mmCIF file with all atom_site columns, all heavy atoms in Angstrom:
data_model
loop_
_atom_site.group_PDB
_atom_site.id
_atom_site.type_symbol
_atom_site.label_atom_id
_atom_site.label_alt_id
_atom_site.label_comp_id
_atom_site.label_asym_id
_atom_site.label_entity_id
_atom_site.label_seq_id
_atom_site.pdbx_PDB_ins_code
_atom_site.Cartn_x
_atom_site.Cartn_y
_atom_site.Cartn_z
_atom_site.occupancy
_atom_site.B_iso_or_equiv
_atom_site.pdbx_formal_charge
_atom_site.auth_seq_id
_atom_site.auth_comp_id
_atom_site.auth_asym_id
_atom_site.auth_atom_id
_atom_site.pdbx_PDB_model_num
ATOM 1   N N   . ALA Q 1 175 ? 64.378 98.687  72.879 1.00 93.00 ? 175 ALA Q N   1
ATOM 2   C CA  . ALA Q 1 175 ? 64.569 98.185  74.234 1.00 93.00 ? 175 ALA Q CA  1
ATOM 3   C C   . ALA Q 1 175 ? 65.900 97.421  74.364 1.00 93.00 ? 175 ALA Q C   1
ATOM 4   O O   . ALA Q 1 175 ? 66.618 97.579  75.363 1.00 93.00 ? 175 ALA Q O   1
ATOM 5   C CB  . ALA Q 1 175 ? 63.403 97.278  74.608 1.00 93.00 ? 175 ALA Q CB  1
ATOM 6   N N   . ASN Q 1 176 ? 66.219 96.598  73.375 1.00 92.00 ? 176 ASN Q N   1
ATOM 7   C CA  . ASN Q 1 176 ? 67.498 95.893  73.404 1.00 92.00 ? 176 ASN Q CA  1
ATOM 8   C C   . ASN Q 1 176 ? 68.676 96.863  73.346 1.00 92.00 ? 176 ASN Q C   1
ATOM 9   O O   . ASN Q 1 176 ? 69.719 96.632  74.003 1.00 92.00 ? 176 ASN Q O   1
ATOM 10  C CB  . ASN Q 1 176 ? 67.582 94.914  72.233 1.00 92.00 ? 176 ASN Q CB  1
ATOM 11  C CG  . ASN Q 1 176 ? 66.609 93.759  72.384 1.00 92.00 ? 176 ASN Q CG  1
ATOM 12  O OD1 . ASN Q 1 176 ? 66.229 93.386  73.504 1.00 92.00 ? 176 ASN Q OD1 1
ATOM 13  N ND2 . ASN Q 1 176 ? 66.201 93.165  71.268 1.00 92.00 ? 176 ASN Q ND2 1
ATOM 14  N N   . TYR Q 1 177 ? 68.507 97.970  72.601 1.00 93.00 ? 177 TYR Q N   1
ATOM 15  C CA  . TYR Q 1 177 ? 69.555 98.972  72.532 1.00 93.00 ? 177 TYR Q CA  1
ATOM 16  C C   . TYR Q 1 177 ? 69.778 99.617  73.904 1.00 93.00 ? 177 TYR Q C   1
ATOM 17  O O   . TYR Q 1 177 ? 70.921 99.789  74.354 1.00 93.00 ? 177 TYR Q O   1
ATOM 18  C CB  . TYR Q 1 177 ? 69.179 100.033 71.495 1.00 93.00 ? 177 TYR Q CB  1
ATOM 19  C CG  . TYR Q 1 177 ? 70.081 101.216 71.446 1.00 93.00 ? 177 TYR Q CG  1
ATOM 20  C CD1 . TYR Q 1 177 ? 71.315 101.169 70.789 1.00 93.00 ? 177 TYR Q CD1 1
ATOM 21  C CD2 . TYR Q 1 177 ? 69.721 102.424 72.054 1.00 93.00 ? 177 TYR Q CD2 1
ATOM 22  C CE1 . TYR Q 1 177 ? 72.149 102.272 70.754 1.00 93.00 ? 177 TYR Q CE1 1
ATOM 23  C CE2 . TYR Q 1 177 ? 70.529 103.533 72.012 1.00 93.00 ? 177 TYR Q CE2 1
ATOM 24  C CZ  . TYR Q 1 177 ? 71.759 103.444 71.356 1.00 93.00 ? 177 TYR Q CZ  1
ATOM 25  O OH  . TYR Q 1 177 ? 72.576 104.546 71.322 1.00 93.00 ? 177 TYR Q OH  1
ATOM 26  N N   . LEU Q 1 178 ? 68.699 99.967  74.594 1.00 94.00 ? 178 LEU Q N   1
ATOM 27  C CA  . LEU Q 1 178 ? 68.828 100.594 75.914 1.00 94.00 ? 178 LEU Q CA  1
ATOM 28  C C   . LEU Q 1 178 ? 69.351 99.615  76.957 1.00 94.00 ? 178 LEU Q C   1
ATOM 29  O O   . LEU Q 1 178 ? 70.120 100.007 77.847 1.00 94.00 ? 178 LEU Q O   1
ATOM 30  C CB  . LEU Q 1 178 ? 67.480 101.157 76.331 1.00 94.00 ? 178 LEU Q CB  1
ATOM 31  C CG  . LEU Q 1 178 ? 66.917 102.296 75.454 1.00 94.00 ? 178 LEU Q CG  1
ATOM 32  C CD1 . LEU Q 1 178 ? 65.582 102.768 75.977 1.00 94.00 ? 178 LEU Q CD1 1
ATOM 33  C CD2 . LEU Q 1 178 ? 67.895 103.449 75.395 1.00 94.00 ? 178 LEU Q CD2 1
ATOM 34  N N   . ILE Q 1 179 ? 68.948 98.349  76.851 1.00 94.00 ? 179 ILE Q N   1
ATOM 35  C CA  . ILE Q 1 179 ? 69.469 97.349  77.792 1.00 94.00 ? 179 ILE Q CA  1
ATOM 36  C C   . ILE Q 1 179 ? 70.969 97.174  77.602 1.00 94.00 ? 179 ILE Q C   1
ATOM 37  O O   . ILE Q 1 179 ? 71.719 96.975  78.573 1.00 94.00 ? 179 ILE Q O   1
ATOM 38  C CB  . ILE Q 1 179 ? 68.732 96.003  77.599 1.00 94.00 ? 179 ILE Q CB  1
ATOM 39  C CG1 . ILE Q 1 179 ? 67.274 96.147  78.056 1.00 94.00 ? 179 ILE Q CG1 1
ATOM 40  C CG2 . ILE Q 1 179 ? 69.415 94.890  78.390 1.00 94.00 ? 179 ILE Q CG2 1
ATOM 41  C CD1 . ILE Q 1 179 ? 66.441 94.890  77.826 1.00 94.00 ? 179 ILE Q CD1 1
ATOM 42  N N   . HIS Q 1 180 ? 71.419 97.241  76.352 1.00 92.00 ? 180 HIS Q N   1
ATOM 43  C CA  . HIS Q 1 180 ? 72.854 97.122  76.077 1.00 92.00 ? 180 HIS Q CA  1
ATOM 44  C C   . HIS Q 1 180 ? 73.632 98.196  76.834 1.00 92.00 ? 180 HIS Q C   1
ATOM 45  O O   . HIS Q 1 180 ? 74.658 97.905  77.471 1.00 92.00 ? 180 HIS Q O   1
ATOM 46  C CB  . HIS Q 1 180 ? 73.087 97.238  74.565 1.00 92.00 ? 180 HIS Q CB  1
ATOM 47  C CG  . HIS Q 1 180 ? 74.540 97.440  74.195 1.00 92.00 ? 180 HIS Q CG  1
ATOM 48  N ND1 . HIS Q 1 180 ? 75.457 96.412  74.202 1.00 92.00 ? 180 HIS Q ND1 1
ATOM 49  C CD2 . HIS Q 1 180 ? 75.217 98.570  73.829 1.00 92.00 ? 180 HIS Q CD2 1
ATOM 50  C CE1 . HIS Q 1 180 ? 76.651 96.893  73.836 1.00 92.00 ? 180 HIS Q CE1 1
ATOM 51  N NE2 . HIS Q 1 180 ? 76.521 98.190  73.613 1.00 92.00 ? 180 HIS Q NE2 1
ATOM 52  N N   . TRP Q 1 181 ? 73.182 99.440  76.782 1.00 94.00 ? 181 TRP Q N   1
ATOM 53  C CA  . TRP Q 1 181 ? 73.879 100.530 77.471 1.00 94.00 ? 181 TRP Q CA  1
ATOM 54  C C   . TRP Q 1 181 ? 73.695 100.466 78.990 1.00 94.00 ? 181 TRP Q C   1
ATOM 55  O O   . TRP Q 1 181 ? 74.575 100.890 79.733 1.00 94.00 ? 181 TRP Q O   1
ATOM 56  C CB  . TRP Q 1 181 ? 73.422 101.870 76.921 1.00 94.00 ? 181 TRP Q CB  1
ATOM 57  C CG  . TRP Q 1 181 ? 73.976 102.139 75.552 1.00 94.00 ? 181 TRP Q CG  1
ATOM 58  C CD1 . TRP Q 1 181 ? 73.305 102.080 74.367 1.00 94.00 ? 181 TRP Q CD1 1
ATOM 59  C CD2 . TRP Q 1 181 ? 75.328 102.468 75.230 1.00 94.00 ? 181 TRP Q CD2 1
ATOM 60  N NE1 . TRP Q 1 181 ? 74.153 102.343 73.316 1.00 94.00 ? 181 TRP Q NE1 1
ATOM 61  C CE2 . TRP Q 1 181 ? 75.404 102.597 73.834 1.00 94.00 ? 181 TRP Q CE2 1
ATOM 62  C CE3 . TRP Q 1 181 ? 76.472 102.667 75.985 1.00 94.00 ? 181 TRP Q CE3 1
ATOM 63  C CZ2 . TRP Q 1 181 ? 76.591 102.906 73.182 1.00 94.00 ? 181 TRP Q CZ2 1
ATOM 64  C CZ3 . TRP Q 1 181 ? 77.662 102.982 75.337 1.00 94.00 ? 181 TRP Q CZ3 1
ATOM 65  C CH2 . TRP Q 1 181 ? 77.702 103.100 73.955 1.00 94.00 ? 181 TRP Q CH2 1
ATOM 66  N N   . TYR Q 1 182 ? 72.568 99.930  79.412 1.00 95.00 ? 182 TYR Q N   1
ATOM 67  C CA  . TYR Q 1 182 ? 72.348 99.722  80.841 1.00 95.00 ? 182 TYR Q CA  1
ATOM 68  C C   . TYR Q 1 182 ? 73.369 98.736  81.399 1.00 95.00 ? 182 TYR Q C   1
ATOM 69  O O   . TYR Q 1 182 ? 73.964 98.944  82.460 1.00 95.00 ? 182 TYR Q O   1
ATOM 70  C CB  . TYR Q 1 182 ? 70.917 99.232  81.066 1.00 95.00 ? 182 TYR Q CB  1
ATOM 71  C CG  . TYR Q 1 182 ? 70.700 98.540  82.393 1.00 95.00 ? 182 TYR Q CG  1
ATOM 72  C CD1 . TYR Q 1 182 ? 70.519 99.261  83.551 1.00 95.00 ? 182 TYR Q CD1 1
ATOM 73  C CD2 . TYR Q 1 182 ? 70.689 97.144  82.488 1.00 95.00 ? 182 TYR Q CD2 1
ATOM 74  C CE1 . TYR Q 1 182 ? 70.311 98.637  84.779 1.00 95.00 ? 182 TYR Q CE1 1
ATOM 75  C CE2 . TYR Q 1 182 ? 70.482 96.503  83.687 1.00 95.00 ? 182 TYR Q CE2 1
ATOM 76  C CZ  . TYR Q 1 182 ? 70.298 97.267  84.832 1.00 95.00 ? 182 TYR Q CZ  1
ATOM 77  O OH  . TYR Q 1 182 ? 70.106 96.627  86.034 1.00 95.00 ? 182 TYR Q OH  1
ATOM 78  N N   . ILE Q 1 183 ? 73.625 97.651  80.667 1.00 92.00 ? 183 ILE Q N   1
ATOM 79  C CA  . ILE Q 1 183 ? 74.585 96.638  81.118 1.00 92.00 ? 183 ILE Q CA  1
ATOM 80  C C   . ILE Q 1 183 ? 75.990 97.193  81.120 1.00 92.00 ? 183 ILE Q C   1
ATOM 81  O O   . ILE Q 1 183 ? 76.767 96.953  82.047 1.00 92.00 ? 183 ILE Q O   1
ATOM 82  C CB  . ILE Q 1 183 ? 74.455 95.377  80.233 1.00 92.00 ? 183 ILE Q CB  1
ATOM 83  C CG1 . ILE Q 1 183 ? 73.088 94.706  80.448 1.00 92.00 ? 183 ILE Q CG1 1
ATOM 84  C CG2 . ILE Q 1 183 ? 75.575 94.401  80.563 1.00 92.00 ? 183 ILE Q CG2 1
ATOM 85  C CD1 . ILE Q 1 183 ? 72.839 93.548  79.500 1.00 92.00 ? 183 ILE Q CD1 1
ATOM 86  N N   . LEU Q 1 184 ? 76.339 97.964  80.076 1.00 91.00 ? 184 LEU Q N   1
ATOM 87  C CA  . LEU Q 1 184 ? 77.684 98.542  80.020 1.00 91.00 ? 184 LEU Q CA  1
ATOM 88  C C   . LEU Q 1 184 ? 77.940 99.495  81.197 1.00 91.00 ? 184 LEU Q C   1
ATOM 89  O O   . LEU Q 1 184 ? 78.980 99.472  81.834 1.00 91.00 ? 184 LEU Q O   1
ATOM 90  C CB  . LEU Q 1 184 ? 77.891 99.277  78.703 1.00 91.00 ? 184 LEU Q CB  1
ATOM 91  C CG  . LEU Q 1 184 ? 78.297 98.474  77.469 1.00 91.00 ? 184 LEU Q CG  1
ATOM 92  C CD1 . LEU Q 1 184 ? 78.534 99.417  76.300 1.00 91.00 ? 184 LEU Q CD1 1
ATOM 93  C CD2 . LEU Q 1 184 ? 79.551 97.652  77.740 1.00 91.00 ? 184 LEU Q CD2 1
ATOM 94  N N   . ALA Q 1 185 ? 76.974 100.354 81.477 1.00 93.00 ? 185 ALA Q N   1
ATOM 95  C CA  . ALA Q 1 185 ? 77.165 101.389 82.488 1.00 93.00 ? 185 ALA Q CA  1
ATOM 96  C C   . ALA Q 1 185 ? 77.156 100.837 83.913 1.00 93.00 ? 185 ALA Q C   1
ATOM 97  O O   . ALA Q 1 185 ? 77.797 101.394 84.797 1.00 93.00 ? 185 ALA Q O   1
ATOM 98  C CB  . ALA Q 1 185 ? 76.082 102.471 82.364 1.00 93.00 ? 185 ALA Q CB  1
ATOM 99  N N   . THR Q 1 186 ? 76.444 99.756  84.148 1.00 93.00 ? 186 THR Q N   1
ATOM 100 C CA  . THR Q 1 186 ? 76.300 99.209  85.517 1.00 93.00 ? 186 THR Q CA  1
ATOM 101 C C   . THR Q 1 186 ? 77.049 97.918  85.719 1.00 93.00 ? 186 THR Q C   1
ATOM 102 O O   . THR Q 1 186 ? 76.836 97.248  86.745 1.00 93.00 ? 186 THR Q O   1
ATOM 103 C CB  . THR Q 1 186 ? 74.815 98.982  85.828 1.00 93.00 ? 186 THR Q CB  1
ATOM 104 O OG1 . THR Q 1 186 ? 74.271 98.006  84.911 1.00 93.00 ? 186 THR Q OG1 1
ATOM 105 C CG2 . THR Q 1 186 ? 74.028 100.279 85.704 1.00 93.00 ? 186 THR Q CG2 1
ATOM 106 N N   . ASN Q 1 187 ? 77.931 97.547  84.791 1.00 90.00 ? 187 ASN Q N   1
ATOM 107 C CA  . ASN Q 1 187 ? 78.650 96.289  84.893 1.00 90.00 ? 187 ASN Q CA  1
ATOM 108 C C   . ASN Q 1 187 ? 79.507 96.258  86.147 1.00 90.00 ? 187 ASN Q C   1
ATOM 109 O O   . ASN Q 1 187 ? 80.282 97.184  86.397 1.00 90.00 ? 187 ASN Q O   1
ATOM 110 C CB  . ASN Q 1 187 ? 79.517 96.081  83.650 1.00 90.00 ? 187 ASN Q CB  1
ATOM 111 C CG  . ASN Q 1 187 ? 80.026 94.663  83.531 1.00 90.00 ? 187 ASN Q CG  1
ATOM 112 O OD1 . ASN Q 1 187 ? 79.739 93.818  84.367 1.00 90.00 ? 187 ASN Q OD1 1
ATOM 113 N ND2 . ASN Q 1 187 ? 80.762 94.386  82.475 1.00 90.00 ? 187 ASN Q ND2 1
ATOM 114 N N   . CYS Q 1 188 ? 79.361 95.237  86.942 1.00 89.00 ? 188 CYS Q N   1
ATOM 115 C CA  . CYS Q 1 188 ? 80.113 95.004  88.176 1.00 89.00 ? 188 CYS Q CA  1
ATOM 116 C C   . CYS Q 1 188 ? 79.739 96.008  89.279 1.00 89.00 ? 188 CYS Q C   1
ATOM 117 O O   . CYS Q 1 188 ? 80.384 96.053  90.321 1.00 89.00 ? 188 CYS Q O   1
ATOM 118 C CB  . CYS Q 1 188 ? 81.615 95.058  87.930 1.00 89.00 ? 188 CYS Q CB  1
ATOM 119 S SG  . CYS Q 1 188 ? 82.601 94.254  89.198 1.00 89.00 ? 188 CYS Q SG  1
#
Side-chain angles (χ1 to χ4, degrees):
N176 291 334
Y177 173 79
L178 296 180
I179 291 176
H180 167 77
W181 287 106
Y182 161 80
I183 293 174
L184 277 183
T186 62
N187 194 359
C188 200

